[in-house]
Amino acid sequence: MLNVLKIDFYKAFRTVSFWVISVLNILFVVFSSFLMFSIYVTALNEPSEFSDIILQNVLPFFKFIPQFIPQCTFLIGIFAVMFAVSEFSYGTIKNIASKGYRREFIYLSKFITALVVAIVNILLSFATSFITAQIMINNRLPEFFNIDNSFWETVGKNSLQLLAYLSIAIFLAMFFRSLGSSLAIFLAFVFLESSAAALINQLFKDVLKLEFTVDPYTIFGAFGDSDQLVRGVIVLLVYIAVATVVGIYTFKQRDIN
């Protein structure tokens, strides 16, 4: 397992896709941070009733770090798909499997490598957002940089959601083994998940006459109810476990061409 991980880490951090995704992530965070912090600077420099609303009610929801984890999910997912599929395209997986490495180790290695790349990009997002905030806000909003229990809770929730999306990305890549199909399905899942949930909710309401919502059982809506933290964690762990177990099983049952 460790040998496979070393090989994957070496390849992952040397790929062009890793550097492209990382640069895009940094640029995205810089742009988002600039827009967001500009609102706060304007509110500070031009006091008004509207400015007070922004500073008192909007600011607490935008700590300088956690909000960028969901925003970079699709970029990290794209890397995970591209990295895993390229292993089939270049015949790397076939060579590794022929050396006697267990299939489950090969699969988990791809998942862990994608997770490490995600952590690196999250840390880059943290640093970029923090530096941008220091430059634009500095000491005028000291509470903006406070790290409390809600901060770590938000980081934990967003990170677990990211992990669930990554498990889906690796599953699709290892199952379809085609960049076009895997990437299209993954992006559709990420961006259309909420729309699909809304349609299902409408079906339950209009056709079945049931007041039931599927949002709490989706990745994006797992933590929609703040008082149902345990349920949200269980839902996401189920997504991760099912995607990984099914992915490993299908990978072991199929030939590697």
Side-chain angles (χ1 to χ4, degrees):
M1 179 69 175
L2 290 177
N3 289 334
V4 180
L5 273 175
K6 289 178 182 178
I7 295 172
D8 280 344
F9 285 164
Y10 177 79
K11 289 183 295 186
F13 290 104
R14 288 176 60 88
T15 59
V16 175
S17 58
F18 167 76
W19 295 104
V20 171
I21 291 298
S22 298
V23 170
L24 288 176
N25 183 39
I26 292 173
L27 292 176
F28 182 74
V29 172
V30 169
F31 180 73
S32 301
S33 298
F34 179 79
L35 289 179
M36 184 178 68
F37 299 146
S38 294
I39 296 175
Y40 301 144
V41 171
T42 302
L44 285 171
N45 295 335
E46 301 177 10
S48 66
E49 183 177 349
F50 182 69
S51 299
D52 293 338
I53 294 176
I54 292 177
L55 296 176
Q56 295 175 10
N57 300 313
V58 180
L59 182 60
F61 294 99
F62 290 96
K63 288 293 185 180
F64 72 92
I65 290 180
Q67 78 273 10
F68 294 110
I69 299 178
Q71 293 182 19
C72 65
T73 294
F74 77 100
L75 285 176
I76 299 172
I78 289 173
F79 168 82
V81 171
M82 293 177 65
F83 177 69
V85 170
S86 68
E87 297 290 275
F88 291 98
S89 303
Y90 298 141
T92 310
I93 284 187
K94 185 176 182 179
N95 292 334
I96 293 176
S98 66
K99 294 180 181 179
Y101 291 107
R102 297 174 61 176
R103 294 278 188 101
E104 52 265 42
F105 289 167
I106 297 175
Y107 186 99
L108 290 175
S109 178
K110 302 293 179 276
F111 186 30
I112 295 173
T113 300
L115 176 59
V116 171
V117 170
I119 293 173
V120 170
N121 273 270
I122 289 172
L123 292 176
L124 287 173
S125 299
F126 289 1
T128 302
S129 181
F130 180 81
I131 292 171
T132 306
Q134 286 285 6
I135 293 174
M136 297 187 66
I137 298 178
N138 201 6
N139 296 323
R140 288 180 291 178
L141 287 175
E143 69 275 12
F144 193 74
F145 301 96
N146 289 344
I147 296 179
D148 50 22
N149 292 334
S150 63
F151 171 88
W152 291 114
E153 181 179 327
T154 303
V155 170
K157 289 178 179 179
N158 290 341
S159 298
L160 193 57
Q161 287 175 314
L162 172 59
L163 189 60
Y165 282 119
L166 279 182
S167 68
I168 300 295
I170 294 297
F171 165 74
L172 292 173
M174 300 294 280
F175 183 81
F176 289 102
R177 307 180 182 185
S178 167
L179 182 59
S181 302
S182 304
L183 202 53
I185 296 174
F186 173 73
L187 292 178
F189 181 82
V190 172
F191 291 112
L192 301 180
E193 183 188 12
S194 58
S195 299
L199 290 175
I200 296 174
N201 291 337
Q202 198 66 34
L203 176 66
F204 280 130
K205 182 178 180 179
D206 296 341
V207 179
L208 302 179
K209 307 301 180 183
L210 296 175
E211 293 297 330
F212 178 80
T213 176
V214 299
D215 290 355
Y217 306 100
T218 61
I219 297 179
F220 85 92
F223 296 116
D225 298 328
S226 57
D227 59 338
Q228 295 292 334
L229 178 62
V230 175
R231 183 187 63 188
V233 171
I234 293 174
V235 168
L236 294 179
L237 289 178
V238 169
Y239 271 99
I240 296 168
V242 171
T244 303
V245 171
V246 174
I248 291 175
Y249 176 79
T250 56
F251 180 55
K252 292 176 65 176
Q253 296 302 310
R254 297 169 62 189
D255 294 331
I256 302 177
N257 299 319

